[in-house]
Amino acid sequence: MTEWPPADPADAAAVAQHRDELVAAVRDHAGQIAYQLARLQGGDYGSATIETDRGEWTVKYEGGDLEYLRYDPGRDDEVYVISTKQPPEPGPLADALVDYDAFVAGFNDFVATHEGVLDDVATDFPEVATTDGVVAERDRVLGRVRDVCDRIARQLQRYEGGDYGTFTERVGGTRWELKWDRDGTSYLRVGGTGGLYLLSQYEAPSAADIREYAPLFADFVAAYNDHVAGLESDLETVEL
């Protein structure tokens, strides 16, 4: 049986006198239940409802700490034994504490139903495939594209001046846009606003996208060279 501070739970006047002490004891004990429940459910917050012969108890936790403990005897007079608000009235508290041991026993049974459930679950998982080869090929192709774009960026900066600018051309009806700054290529985008970033400061495109657009990059470079040829300047053309 649970050991409570000296008080007769059936005597509302005595419970009222010792209420704070009783509530503190319940909070400490039920806090252990909340902690174990949080470990079992594996989340930052959650709850469980335990039924007894006299009613049902709901324990709710957040961050592993007890948030509230509610007792419902089924007579539309539920009581929050523990809450973040005011303490319960002595009478309902006394009625609830009569059933507290049954709640603890019910929680223990609830935990027991989960024991052994994972005993036959195998952990001999398949080997995980490495992405090293795909990543290396992606970096090789994109590295080559970036090198060429940086050369274009340097030539454009030489011709246009300034610390940043853009160069756009249509390749096969699709808009290609190279944006550059003082450090070189900022991005290479295919398809206009909302299009695919073949080069960017963020994540790399998928292997499927690289396979689709990398072969067309030569046409973009050719379009740049045609652009240079039409300028009265000593800009150099770029070869792949």
Side-chain angles (χ1 to χ4, degrees):
M1 295 291 290
T2 303
E3 296 183 2
W4 303 108
D8 181 0
D11 184 349
V15 172
Q17 181 179 355
H18 297 284
R19 179 181 58 192
D20 291 345
E21 189 176 355
L22 283 166
V23 169
V26 174
R27 184 184 298 277
D28 179 67
H29 189 270
Q32 300 176 52
I33 293 177
Y35 173 73
Q36 295 299 330
L37 180 62
R39 293 188 62 196
L40 180 64
Q41 295 186 337
D44 290 334
Y45 55 89
S47 64
T49 298
I50 306 297
E51 295 186 0
T52 67
D53 292 339
R54 290 171 55 92
E56 64 178 25
W57 293 76
T58 300
V59 54
K60 188 174 187 300
Y61 64 88
E62 183 169 352
D65 296 328
L66 177 65
E67 185 171 358
Y68 70 70
L69 177 64
R70 184 178 65 214
Y71 173 63
D72 185 359
R75 301 188 300 271
D76 296 327
D77 53 357
E78 65 182 20
V79 55
Y80 282 83
V81 178
I82 302 296
S83 74
T84 57
K85 301 179 180 178
Q86 64 186 28
E89 294 294 327
L93 176 61
D95 184 56
L97 292 185
V98 170
D99 196 47
Y100 186 81
D101 283 350
F103 158 63
V104 176
F107 176 77
N108 291 342
D109 291 341
F110 170 74
V111 173
T113 61
H114 294 78
E115 294 180 354
V117 172
L118 302 177
D119 288 353
D120 297 329
V121 177
T123 56
D124 185 16
F125 304 126
E127 290 294 327
V128 177
T130 177
T131 61
D132 291 349
V134 176
V135 171
E137 283 301 295
R138 179 194 68 193
D139 293 346
R140 180 186 65 81
V141 174
L142 292 183
R144 178 64 175 146
V145 171
R146 183 173 291 278
D147 287 343
V148 173
C149 284
D150 286 345
R151 291 170 59 191
I152 292 175
R154 287 193 296 271
Q155 293 300 321
L156 291 172
Q157 185 178 30
R158 175 186 173 189
Y159 174 75
E160 297 180 5
D163 292 333
Y164 56 88
T166 58
F167 173 73
T168 60
E169 282 289 345
R170 287 196 171 272
V171 176
T174 301
R175 177 186 174 92
W176 288 60
E177 179 177 303
L178 169 63
K179 183 176 181 180
W180 51 270
D181 55 32
R182 66 176 63 186
D183 296 323
T185 304
S186 179
Y187 67 73
L188 177 63
R189 185 173 63 196
V190 183
T193 302
L196 171 75
Y197 285 84
L198 197 58
L199 296 176
S200 75
Q201 298 173 343
Y202 303 101
E203 63 183 21
S206 68
D209 288 334
I210 296 174
R211 182 178 180 85
E212 178 180 358
Y213 290 107
L216 302 177
F217 179 65
D219 295 334
F220 171 73
V221 177
Y224 162 77
N225 287 338
D226 290 342
H227 170 74
V228 172
L231 297 175
E232 294 182 359
S233 172
D234 61 350
L235 282 177
E236 298 176 2
T237 59
V238 172
E239 296 179 2
L240 289 175

